[in-house]
């Protein structure tokens, strides 16, 4: 088979002192921490859309990245070549999983029936490559946002015909995901949101979105697809107001429409920051509510207000994310998918390796730091000490609902001013630095 990355051999772990940029300095897939290997902790996945289909286009210019696999007059030949290149990349990088949108792996044809035939063909090819390499599908999803028919949303489109089209597309993408043994299926509400209330019935649109998800739940049962469903929150972009704003908004939506037992969340770092939250905040919110499912790893840019989808390199972010994930028990069906893209000027195929190696190493360092933080219990002890009053008489009575306003007033009249205790933030930040 033709090689699309001939200059790269299988990436190996060479340790922190290695100067080889095509090696892992920290990600050692076999190294065990807290009872699991690094590979088991992370379940790293590469995304198809940015890594193989994103070729550097931005609103001001076309592709900057020329790829051998992208050259043919026949779109299906390109699709097959891209799949070959993808599996060569996954294998050389040493990740266990991949993720795709239906339209990433096979281009749309003139009719839905023809498009679905293309999907069947390429899925067969993917299945063979999965069997040959042992690489698995973390999740599949639908692109119901790029085509012009979806300009006003898919499930929230004012037209029921578009809703029907989206439903048909999701049905097929679920089937392909099941066929490829996918561990999950993601719903990211591409254009599920609005630009102006002057033309929008928000309540009706949200009812329709819930109806679409309920249909997906019903069809999942029928299909006997056992993968986990995820919703991926994002506050804006492409629409001004996206309905899945953040984890809290998604939780309220799922509760309102009685869908909570069927979904977990896929938290993306850059989406969290667009919502004005930290990545850790969103992960902790999910952990606290039992809905932490999977992660789309990337980062934004402090100075840019959009979804820059850069590869993660910030060790504070990776350390705190892994700290929360480990405390939550780690991934089950989910994994860590790099929803990240090369900068437009990183034009060479080898840049894809540098980018992913950097992200995997950054998370490996985060994992090592977090494992130490968990073992040493310094933060756990500090948090427990801060809330210690809740384990004593007064706190227990409040938590157990044994007192009301009157008794608390009597207590306060008797005991006077509460004792002030320092939050010790700077000291704790210094301790965090000891781990980084
Ligand atoms: C968009 C985004 C998507 C989802 C899958 O910002 O993150 O790629 O992850 O549709
Ligand atoms: Co994403």
């Amino acid at each position: 088979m033709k090689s699309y990355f001939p200059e790269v051999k299988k990436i190996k772990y060479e340790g922190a002192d290695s100067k080889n940029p095509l090696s892992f300095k920290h990600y050692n897939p076999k190294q065990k921490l807290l009872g699991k290997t690094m590979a088991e902790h992370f379940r790293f996945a590469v995304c198809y859309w940015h890594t193989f289909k994103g070729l550097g286009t931005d609103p001001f210019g076309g592709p900057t990245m020329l790829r051998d696999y992208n050259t043919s007059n026949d779109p299906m030949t390109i699709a097959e070549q891209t799949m070959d290149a993808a599996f060569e990349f996954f294998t050389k990088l040493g990740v266990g999983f991949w993720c795709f949108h239906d339209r990433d792996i096979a281009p749309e044809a003139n009719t839905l029936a023809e498009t679905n035939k293309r999907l069947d063909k390429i899925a067969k090819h993917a299945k063979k490559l999965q069997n040959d390499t042992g690489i698995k599908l973390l999740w599949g999803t639908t692109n119901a946002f790029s085509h012009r028919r979806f300009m006003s949303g898919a499930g929230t489109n004012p037209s029921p015909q578009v809703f029907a089209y989206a439903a048909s597309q999701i049905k097929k993408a679920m089937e392909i995901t099941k066929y490829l043994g996918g561990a999950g299926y993601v719903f990211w509400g591409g254009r599920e949101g609005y630009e102006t209330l002057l033309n929008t019935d928000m309540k009706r649109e949200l009812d329709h979105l819930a109806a679409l998800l309920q249909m997906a739940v019903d069809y999942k049962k029928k299909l006997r697809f056992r993968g986990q469903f995820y919703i991926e929150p994002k506050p804006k972009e492409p629409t001004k107001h996206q309905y899945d704003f953040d984890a809290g908004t998604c939780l309220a939506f799922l509760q309102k429409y009685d869908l909570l037992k069927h979904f977990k969340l896929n938290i993306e770092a850059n989406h969290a920051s667009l919502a004005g939250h930290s990545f850790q905040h969103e992960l902790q919110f999910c952990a606290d509510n039992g809905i932490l499912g999977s992660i789309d790893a990337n980062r934004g840019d402090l100075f840019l207000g959009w979804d820059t989808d850069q590869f993660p390199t910030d060790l504070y972010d990776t350390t705190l994310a892994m700290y929360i994930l480990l405390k939550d028990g780690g991934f089950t069906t989910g994994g860590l998918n790099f929803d990240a893209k090369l900068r437009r000027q990183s034009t060479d195929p080898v840049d894809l390796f540098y980018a992913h190696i950097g992200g995997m190493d950054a998370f490996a360092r985060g994992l090592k730091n977090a494992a130490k933080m968990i073992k040493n219990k310094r933060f756990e002890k500090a948090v427990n000490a801060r809330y210690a009053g809740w384990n004593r008489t007064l706190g227990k009575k409040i938590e157990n609902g044994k007192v009301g306003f009157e008794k608390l007033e009597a207590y306060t009249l008797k005991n006077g001013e509460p004792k002030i205790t320092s939050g010790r933030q700077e000291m704790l930040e210094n301790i965090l630095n000891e781990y980084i």
Side-chain angles (χ1 to χ4, degrees), residues 49 101 139 141 145 186 188 232 234 268 271 296 307 339:
W49 49 103
H101 297 85
W139 49 261
T141 187
F145 45 86
V186 164
W188 169 58
E232 182 175 320
K234 183 172 183 180
E268 177 161 328
H271 295 180
D296 269 9
D307 198 12
D339 193 349

Side-chain angles (χ1 to χ4, degrees), residues 280 313-322 369 429 432-433 436:
Q280 304 101 51
T313 52
D314 185 316
L315 300 183
Y316 287 96
D317 267 356
T318 60
T319 299
L320 291 170
M322 291 314 295
N369 296 342
E429 286 168 349
L432 178 60
N433 268 355
I436 297 291

